[in-house]
Amino acid sequence: MSFESYVAKRLVKSKPYKNTVSSPIIKISILSIVIGIVMMIISISSSVGLQKTIESKVSSFFGHISISNFENNSSFSSLNSFVNDFDYNLLQSNDKIKYFQKVAYKSALIIKGKSFEGVVFKGLSADFNWKNFSNYITTGRVPSLNNDVSNEVLISENLSKKLLINLDDKFEATFFKSSSASNPNKRIFKVVGIYSSGLTEFDEVYFFGDIRHVQKMNKWTKDEFGNIEIFLKKYSYTNDVSDDLYNQTPPNISVMSINEKFPEIFNWMSLFDFNVLLIIIIMILVGGINMITALLVTVLEKTTVIGILKTIGASNKSSRSIFLINGTSL
């Protein structure tokens, strides 16, 4: 043990030192530093946690990346079926992709009594992976899509309250065709489940059911669909995988990440990082000032000790080292 470490250790452990006038000041400084560190941990944890929660909810609706025809981008509906010559090896060979699934969208109008709502029907195939979305189901179950065309659907609590549609109730949805002169398609659905994601802008619009309804209304074959939704192993892969797929797909195919699809949500989320950084900087400044204050109080109180050290031949560097070690231990 060096001379400086020995002297600093003796100063910290001495009883007179602990009972001095400066002791409460030092304790308050240490407490303020502890509070600052706790605030930084809470800020970072809450920000990261909220970002991950929002990302998880948005990706549960649409996947991390969506692939479709360009004609489908300007509408909630899948206007044209997906090209049959798409190279699925691009998805199957990519080790960053967890899985992908085929879906289709169709705009509709639900009229219940005197209430009505414009909605979007999301058609799902029998092999749809409910793992991510099942956490948001509050009542009932997921629709059964295995046998013939199923009329079972999953709606949101928001739509359930607005339209007074409860579990096991039936309702009629009207699907308009691209040609205004054509009669609209109507379907009777039965509610077997109710979900709540907490994202009002999505809960107000989407309900889920059998993709075969969309295929029949659009006169598609059973192998045709509107979109491919890709789920990645990590959200951080989104931009890289999206760029790779965009560069490897034909020009008539659109590859869009959720960052591009919902820029307002993710731009808002990016503001959290700035707020957290600002809190960390403020806490570091406050903590640094408190540490300096504690060291100054210690030095001013130990002028006698400094005099003794100088008398026995200790250098200025050695004296500084003693108080820095003392401050570090505090």
Side-chain angles (χ1 to χ4, degrees):
M1 182 182 294
S2 65
F3 169 73
E4 292 84 0
S5 299
Y6 175 78
V7 175
K9 186 177 181 181
R10 296 290 296 176
L11 286 174
V12 172
K13 290 186 175 181
S14 62
K15 289 184 179 179
Y17 176 74
K18 294 180 181 179
N19 296 323
T20 57
V21 177
S22 65
S23 180
I25 299 174
I26 294 172
K27 289 178 181 177
I28 292 171
S29 298
I30 294 171
L31 179 62
S32 65
I33 294 169
V34 171
I35 293 173
I37 293 172
V38 170
M39 288 297 296
M40 285 190 283
I41 293 172
I42 292 173
S43 300
I44 294 171
S45 301
S46 59
S47 174
V48 172
L50 184 58
Q51 287 176 323
K52 286 186 176 294
T53 300
I54 295 173
E55 175 269 315
S56 175
K57 289 183 177 182
V58 176
S59 63
S60 295
F61 274 92
F62 308 101
H64 295 97
I65 301 172
S66 178
I67 302 178
S68 65
N69 281 318
F70 271 111
E71 291 87 346
N72 294 342
N73 290 338
S74 60
S75 172
F76 281 118
S77 298
S78 302
L79 302 179
N80 294 306
S81 62
F82 201 79
V83 289
N84 295 322
D85 58 349
F86 180 76
D87 186 6
Y88 291 98
N89 289 326
L90 293 176
L91 307 181
Q92 295 166 346
S93 61
N94 194 320
D95 58 359
K96 294 180 180 179
I97 295 177
K98 191 174 183 180
Y99 62 90
F100 60 91
Q101 50 204 19
K102 304 168 185 178
V103 300
Y105 294 90
K106 191 77 172 174
S107 299
L109 183 68
I110 298 176
I111 301 175
K112 185 74 173 180
K114 295 183 179 180
S115 302
F116 65 92
E117 286 292 330
V119 294
V120 175
F121 176 76
K122 181 172 182 177
L124 315 173
S125 56
D127 59 352
F128 183 82
N129 192 324
W130 289 99
K131 183 178 180 181
N132 290 332
F133 202 83
S134 59
N135 296 327
Y136 308 130
I137 298 177
T138 57
T139 309
R141 57 176 174 82
V142 300
S144 176
L145 309 174
N146 293 319
N147 301 319
D148 295 332
V149 180
S150 173
N151 290 327
E152 296 181 349
V153 294
L154 179 72
I155 69 169
S156 68
E157 281 187 1
N158 191 297
L159 288 175
S160 174
K161 292 176 181 178
K162 282 185 176 181
L163 299 171
L164 301 178
I165 300 174
N166 299 313
L167 194 66
D168 296 325
D169 285 355
K170 292 184 178 181
F171 65 90
E172 183 181 80
T174 302
F175 297 87
F176 297 99
K177 297 181 180 179
S178 56
S179 174
S180 58
S182 303
N183 292 326
N185 294 301
K186 295 186 178 182
R187 293 289 188 275
I188 302 295
F189 294 114
K190 179 182 178 181
V191 178
V192 296
I194 298 175
Y195 75 90
S196 176
S197 71
L199 297 175
T200 308
E201 57 268 35
F202 298 147
D203 289 357
E204 288 180 339
V205 177
Y206 293 94
F207 72 109
F208 303 82
D210 197 330
I211 192 174
R212 287 171 286 191
H213 288 290
V214 180
Q215 291 171 337
K216 283 189 173 184
M217 287 185 281
N218 289 351
K219 296 181 181 179
W220 295 347
T221 66
K222 63 179 182 179
D223 297 322
E224 293 180 291
F225 50 93
N227 304 71
I228 296 177
E229 293 179 345
I230 300 171
F231 293 80
L232 305 177
K233 294 179 180 178
K234 291 182 180 179
Y235 168 72
S236 57
Y237 297 153
T238 301
N239 292 332
D240 291 339
V241 176
S242 177
D243 291 341
D244 289 343
L245 291 174
Y246 180 83
N247 293 328
Q248 297 179 66
T249 51
N252 62 314
I253 293 178
S254 169
V255 178
M256 185 176 290
S257 68
I258 53 173
N259 298 335
E260 298 169 320
K261 198 168 187 175
F262 304 103
E264 65 282 356
I265 294 177
F266 290 93
N267 288 339
W268 171 66
M269 285 170 55
S270 64
L271 294 176
F272 295 167
D273 297 330
F274 174 77
N275 293 337
V276 170
L277 180 62
L278 186 63
I279 291 172
I280 290 174
I281 291 172
I282 293 172
M283 290 297 103
I284 288 175
L285 288 174
V286 173
I289 291 170
N290 284 318
M291 292 170 68
I292 293 169
T293 302
L295 282 173
L296 285 174
V297 169
T298 303
V299 171
L300 291 173
E301 189 180 50
K302 295 298 180 183
T303 52
T304 304
V305 175
I306 295 171
I308 294 172
L309 291 173
K310 297 294 290 182
T311 302
I312 63 177
S315 63
N316 291 337
K317 182 180 178 182
S318 180
S319 299
R320 283 197 298 267
S321 297
I322 291 170
F323 286 99
L324 286 174
I325 294 170
N326 186 23
T328 303
S329 65
L330 291 175

